[in-house]
Amino acid sequence: MPDPIPRPDARPDARPNRLAQEKSPYLLQHAFNPVDWVPWGEEAFARARAEDRPIFLSIGYATCHWCHVMERESFEDADVAALLNRDFVSIKVDREERPDIDGVYMTACQLMTGQGGWPLTIVMTPDKQPFFAGTYFPREGVAGRAGMLDLLPRLSALWRERREDVEAAGASALAAIREVEVRGVGSGEGGGEGALDEEALRRGFTELLARFDPHQGGFSRAPKFPAPHQLLFLLRWSDRTGDRRGVEMVEKTLVSMRRGGVFDHLGYGFHRYSTDARWLVPHFEKMLYDQALLAMAYTELWQMTGDDAHRTVAREIHAYVARDLTDAEGGFYSAEDADSEGREGAFYVWTRAEFDEVLSAALGEDAAGLARRAFRVEARGNFADEASGLRTGENILHAGETPAEIAAALGEDAGRVEKRLEEARRVLFEQRTTRERPLLDDKILTDWNGLMIAALARSGLAFGDEALVAAAGRAADFILERLRDDEGTLLHRYRDGESAIVAGAADHACLIWGLIELYGATFDPRWLRAARELLDPLLERFWDPDRLGVFNVDATQSDVPVRQKELYDGATPSANATTWYVLLRLGRLTGDVELLDRAEALRRALAGPVGGAPSAYTMSLVALDLALGPSQEVVVAGDPDEPDTRRMLDALANRYAPRTAVLFKPAGRRTEAPGGPAAPSLAQIAPFTEPHDLLDGKATAYVCTGFACRRPTTDVAEMVKQLT
């Protein structure tokens, strides 16, 4: 595993700063900077107050390309470090470890500058009030962008000479952030009175349709980010209405992404986003949450269309995660970096000469020519340096024609062409392993693991792949066993044997989602019970009884100046949308009407923001689609070892049925835990299933709406008919 700490011999005078004692790979990357970095904590703020200095806060993450650039240009520079060490108390924060801190100060940056991003740069008072915000700053000013050597003395002078103005600006900034919160959940603005209804779904679809790129897919020009929750919503819209345009937008987007350079054609998995409109030139970091959500989207698209190409992509994503992002104990690492050998993309790009040499030596010149065509390798290259715009002579591998199209053009057998291209891919992949690998961010985060568990379980169920389901179960066991403190409180981050940081609302909600999907793939009641038990602290510690919804953090996180609520869907679904979704799922699986009532309250509370701009809240639209129904519960009672039971469950497994909850009640069984007490029965967790038994000794399906069931049936075709 790569050592995330820069080698001290890289700079002869390097000495570790306080970050060397941290666990975050991002903080450890800065452990040998000449800047006197300290981690976020009361000690840093007490020092700032005692020494009457402002705080220089820098927030980023381990696989952030521009964070690396700013480190090399500014934080490794002795002159910049001297200014920071003389006039500021400098704090480093890993946004993935502390999304609550990042959320507050990213909001400040957006309010103060109209934009945001990472690295995030904040200068604030010792009382955590921000009075300056920005993102990336080079050592010296260039092209209208201020440089650190100019900026830091001006900010220091401002602190010394205009203290009242600085403090007033900081207080005003925090007040503005609090006002944003007031205008959020429960505001009633933008959505009219009452709860969200089908009109919000229609408007969300219409807004996405208006932004859709019919040529390349996606919903913007450049840059293009994967937004799988948008795709999950569009599939539900098409299923609900029969309007095929939703499926067509999803398919165009996902096919274009798979063919583009944003997909790793040798090792699989998706890069973070595309810097251009064609999905060609990515920022090369790979994030766990993208793999999870995109695997879900490809799986659901396969269920909708039956096109096996989409199932193949989902399997490729899972293969990448299993190979490169899975810990020996079963949890999932966070990300892989974009940079290696001191530059972005070096691990992934190829000159034509190297490409040809490797393949010609292993497979012959004909194979090299075929692969060159398939991966669109050019003599002059297609990769340009982002800063200068100059071509490097290197190629980002991407696909134009499919193997079948190439075979038709060459008059060859499609299967043979596909086999030859797979051989070429393997040769190139093996050669690539000899290169310096990008940094592996090996921290394990509860929320992102919850999403990956959900994706694995959903794909495993749909594809009938027990290995995928088993991987989901191992990860769930790891999180439930290793990411809790002595009191059973869920924690956010695990790394290097240490679990730390009290989990937020997103951790609880995403893990619950994963456990729900895992129950659906295994019908093991312990996963359903674990999900239900995690919901209690989510509602007790994070729920706002006054304005409804969930805060990002509980009241014990007193070091955060504003307790925010996450509503907008960014790279991952928001905490409130995910909470709404799992409330509905668990309420229907267990028959607990109190959970459904809480979900309805959240539906009304979100009417303002979601109703005002539905396409910005597509995970909320996924939840709304489930809330509006028509939804059904299917209870299958049967002997799990009998073929008739298997046929009935298999008929439900790969159907696209996002509003159908499936429960399985083993007939006359209670599974004994190895060396321990009996596992919980389904009826203990979902009492409404108690009377559902076999008819005439055969597997029996009870199709219910609102827990009122139709006539039970032992016939698979009749069960499917009742569902449709």
Side-chain angles (χ1 to χ4, degrees), residues 259-260 265 373-376 398-403 405-406:
R259 292 186 176 187
H265 289 261
R373 175 172 182 166
F375 294 123
R376 307 188 77 173
H398 62 295
E401 302 163 285
T402 65
E405 290 167 341
I406 294 173

Side-chain angles (χ1 to χ4, degrees), residues 297-313:
Y298 280 100
T299 298
E300 291 196 3
L301 182 60
W302 172 74
Q303 290 177 306
M304 281 285 280
T305 65
D307 187 337
D308 285 344
H310 307 314
R311 177 172 58 182
T312 296
V313 184

Side-chain angles (χ1 to χ4, degrees), residues 152-181:
L152 294 175
R154 294 207 306 267
L155 289 168
S156 178
L158 192 66
W159 173 255
R160 293 192 311 271
E161 298 166 9
R162 298 177 57 186
R163 183 69 57 87
E164 290 185 3
D165 292 342
V166 164
E167 292 177 343
S172 177
L174 276 189
I177 296 170
R178 293 189 179 99
E179 181 61 25
V180 169
E181 295 307 304

Side-chain angles (χ1 to χ4, degrees), residues 318-385:
H318 290 311
Y320 160 67
V321 172
R323 185 189 67 236
D324 291 339
L325 293 183
T326 302
D327 182 77
E329 295 188 69
F332 302 113
Y333 301 139
S334 295
E336 286 193 293
D337 205 345
D339 293 22
S340 59
E341 302 178 25
R343 61 193 182 97
E344 183 180 13
F347 184 70
Y348 297 100
V349 296
W350 298 78
T351 64
R352 174 167 169 171
E354 182 188 12
F355 186 92
D356 285 352
E357 180 183 357
V358 169
L359 287 179
S360 295
L363 301 174
E365 292 184 6
D366 288 347
L370 181 66
R372 196 164 57 239
R373 175 172 182 166
F375 294 123
R376 307 188 77 173
V377 175
E378 304 173 16
R380 66 174 189 148
N382 57 38
F383 181 46
D385 178 77

Side-chain angles (χ1 to χ4, degrees), residues 525 528-529 532 590 665 670 678-690:
L528 197 57
R529 167 156 288 181
R532 182 63 187 85
T590 64
K665 184 180 179 185
R670 290 192 73 204
S681 70
L682 179 64
Q684 289 175 311
I685 307 167
F688 79 96
T689 66
E690 179 67 39

Side-chain angles (χ1 to χ4, degrees), residues 19-54:
L19 300 185
Q21 306 303 314
E22 296 296 304
K23 292 291 187 181
S24 158
Y26 175 64
L27 299 188
L28 291 171
Q29 285 174 345
H30 295 264
F32 288 90
N33 292 163
V35 178
D36 184 20
W37 293 116
V38 292
W40 180 278
E42 179 52 35
E43 181 182 344
F45 294 102
R47 176 183 159 196
R49 288 190 291 269
E51 298 176 3
D52 194 28
R53 297 193 200 183

